[in-house]
Amino acid sequence: MAKVLLLNGPNLNLLGEREPDIYGLTRLQDIETSVRELLEGAGHACGSFQSNSEGLMIDWLQENRAADFLLINAGALTHTSIALRDALAALQLPFLEIHISNVYKRESFRHHSFLAALAIGSLVGLGIQGYDLAARFAIDFLKQRNAH
Ligand code: DQA
């Protein structure tokens, strides 16, 4: 059994009511439940956290450093946070970056990610389905890792 982390950053607590034309109507709690069910169904544990605070996100990552994989939607911190990038570099936790919206179709300040170069890959613009797809990838990744 492995442990997979799901971390959401600023304003993602408002999913379902925040700019629904961009982010849809599904609430974060439902996304977390869906990801958890997928992971638990594959025999893994899932820890999830959301914060509007960069520091609390970094603290949570450090506290959970023993995990095996991370799914992260850092929200706007993606485009601004060298501190979060450094935290991910320090932990050496394999991770996927998720964005509900296609950030490349939006304002140019959303086109750069401080996290992307450290990630295995990014799921961008797939709506909330990106979370489930990322969880499925994590399950496959962990299966392959355990086979070696
Ligand atoms: C987001 C994209 C970011 O640019 C934005 O700041 C968010 C959400 C997304 O999931 O599409 O808060 O990460």
Side-chain angles (χ1 to χ4, degrees):
M1 181 183 87
K3 179 155 188 193
V4 178
L5 305 177
L6 172 61
L7 177 58
N8 281 282
N11 301 307
L12 291 161
N13 56 314
L14 296 181
L15 282 179
E17 52 185 275
R18 170 195 185 201
E19 299 180 90
D21 45 320
I22 298 176
Y23 299 114
L25 292 168
T26 307
R27 302 176 79 85
L28 181 59
Q29 204 188 329
D30 297 324
I31 292 170
E32 288 175 341
T33 300
S34 177
V35 166
R36 179 181 305 276
E37 282 175 2
L38 278 169
L39 291 165
E40 288 180 354
H44 302 305
C46 175
S48 59
F49 184 62
Q50 185 279 332
S51 179
N52 295 324
S53 152
E54 182 180 37
L56 289 179
M57 289 171 70
I58 293 170
D59 285 345
W60 187 78
L61 282 171
Q62 291 185 3
E63 281 157 20
N64 288 279
R65 63 198 311 146
D68 301 282
F69 202 95
L70 168 70
L71 313 175
I72 180 169
N73 183 348
L77 291 176
T78 307
H79 319 299
T80 61
S81 179
I82 296 171
L84 190 55
R85 183 236 175 257
D86 284 355
L88 291 169
L91 293 187
Q92 295 189 309
L93 195 57
F95 74 93
L96 290 178
E97 176 183 6
I98 301 165
H99 297 290
I100 296 167
S101 64
N102 183 347
V103 287
Y104 302 106
K105 278 191 189 166
R106 300 180 64 195
E107 303 95 327
S108 59
F109 60 80
R110 296 183 203 277
H111 295 180
H112 179 258
S113 165
F114 279 105
L115 314 185
L118 298 177
I120 293 176
S122 306
L123 293 96
V124 174
L126 305 180
I128 58 156
Q129 232 194 308
Y131 287 92
D132 281 358
L133 291 168
R136 288 181 199 281
F137 179 91
I139 291 165
D140 268 14
F141 178 95
L142 293 165
K143 200 183 289 170
Q144 308 234 346
R145 189 196 64 179
N146 292 341
H148 292 120

